[in-house]
Amino acid sequence: MREIDTRAYISTLREMVREGHEVSLMISGSSMAPFLVHHRDSILIGPVTRPLKRGDMAFYERPTGQFVMHRIRWVREEGVYLIGDAQTVTEGPLDTERVFAVVKSVRRKGRWVGPEDRWWRFFATTWLKVIPLRPVILKFYSLIHPKS
């Protein structure tokens, strides 16, 4: 397998999105579990074409230069606040200019789904309301789905 520099790869994706293209990439990392699973699932990202809102999955660059895809918890005047589905700590405010793409659809368990999917809606709404309970819920989930 060929390895490429992450910054170069993401810069290319970012440019394609800036040109109006949608781009697919595999999930790397566990911060969006259990909705999206490391090296199992993929996302289709595209340009931001409307105001960002709670529940959107945003692809952004942190001030440190790290590229991340997390869910928007709040949109406020000072910026957006984001959190991974497997996390309990909210990051922000982040300048909305750092968000360079949003997730248009996901390939989850081998099937492409969009915002109309029940699991997408669950994680974009209900899951954002139970952040303090996430550690307990995720512990239970890991007991019944040990390989997810």
Side-chain angles (χ1 to χ4, degrees):
M1 182 186 322
R2 181 176 171 219
E3 288 188 33
I4 61 171
D5 176 68
T6 302
R7 180 156 291 286
Y9 176 64
I10 298 296
S11 293
T12 301
L13 296 180
R14 190 178 202 170
E15 184 59 34
M16 291 174 72
V17 167
R18 197 176 287 133
E19 293 171 356
H21 300 283
E22 292 184 343
V23 183
S24 176
L25 62 150
M26 182 176 279
I27 292 296
S28 178
S30 60
S31 68
M32 290 300 288
F35 182 56
L36 299 173
V37 175
H38 173 73
H39 285 181
R40 180 195 74 185
D41 299 328
S42 300
I43 59 175
L44 182 69
I45 61 172
V48 180
T49 58
R50 59 166 173 70
L52 297 168
K53 66 180 182 14
R54 178 179 173 89
D56 283 346
M57 288 179 279
F59 209 109
Y60 61 99
E61 182 178 2
R62 286 180 170 151
T64 61
Q66 182 182 20
F67 295 99
V68 182
M69 189 276 298
H70 280 162
R71 196 174 302 279
I72 295 177
R73 184 173 185 189
W74 299 302
V75 178
R76 303 269 166 80
E77 189 175 310
E78 65 273 14
V80 292
Y81 293 79
L82 301 109
I83 188 166
D85 288 348
Q87 299 176 326
T88 57
V89 176
T90 303
E91 174 181 357
L94 184 81
D95 187 335
T96 56
E97 295 299 314
R98 292 197 165 273
V99 176
F100 61 89
V102 290
V103 176
K104 305 290 185 171
S105 62
V106 300
R107 185 169 185 196
R108 185 173 189 269
K109 298 182 179 179
R111 187 172 71 91
W112 283 101
V113 298
E116 72 287 345
D117 178 75
R118 68 184 170 109
W119 287 113
W120 181 301
R121 288 192 319 269
F122 170 80
F123 282 97
T125 58
T126 306
W127 194 243
L128 284 172
K129 295 176 183 175
V130 297
I131 290 170
L133 301 174
R134 284 182 180 182
V136 173
I137 296 167
L138 291 170
K139 179 70 174 168
F140 177 73
Y141 179 83
S142 71
L143 294 174
I144 60 174
H145 296 284
K147 297 279 183 175
S148 294

